[in-house]
Amino acid sequence: MKDITEIACESYKEDLRSYDNPDYVITYPKYNWKMSYLAYDAMLNELTDYHNLKQPDTDYETFDVYSNQDVIFKCSFFKSIYKILEVSFYEYNNYLGSKGFIKGKDRIYYIIKKQ
């Protein structure tokens, strides 16, 4: 198990900043777009009733706030309560009540745990 909370949440925050400002240059040195999506998905699972990408078009509407800056605050709040742990396929299948599986070419398995 590898704790990826920091890199995932900070990457997502960078994406949120870039949505509001097309000239924004991502400065987080460990930025990873896959980790950004993973943080979004984890927050979606824990903080909303939306699943299977049937949520509103904007992140702030999805998280029931008024701006992407509010989503950044919510992401910081999420990070203070939950951990996102990258796990192997076998660990994922053995974890009771597991949430979090990113499909695609490079499958990423993760679990969400309260701190």
Side-chain angles (χ1 to χ4, degrees), residues 40-84:
Y40 170 79
D41 192 61
M43 288 175 60
L44 193 71
N45 280 313
E46 290 298 320
L47 304 178
T48 75
D49 291 328
Y50 297 114
H51 303 290
N52 301 321
L53 297 176
K54 294 182 181 177
Q55 67 272 12
D57 291 336
T58 65
D59 291 29
Y60 60 87
E61 289 174 310
T62 298
F63 294 109
D64 198 29
V65 293
Y66 299 104
S67 69
N68 284 331
Q69 191 63 40
D70 292 340
V71 180
I72 290 170
F73 177 79
K74 207 162 217 181
C75 187
S76 296
F77 172 75
F78 176 86
K79 189 170 91 170
S80 71
I81 295 176
Y82 296 97
K83 280 187 178 182
I84 305 170

Side-chain angles (χ1 to χ4, degrees), residues 2-11 39 78-80 82-86 115:
K2 179 181 174 187
D3 186 344
I4 56 171
T5 312
E6 180 76 19
I7 191 169
C9 288
E10 292 306 315
S11 293
F78 176 86
K79 189 170 91 170
S80 71
Y82 296 97
K83 280 187 178 182
I84 305 170
L85 303 170
E86 185 175 12
Q115 301 224 35

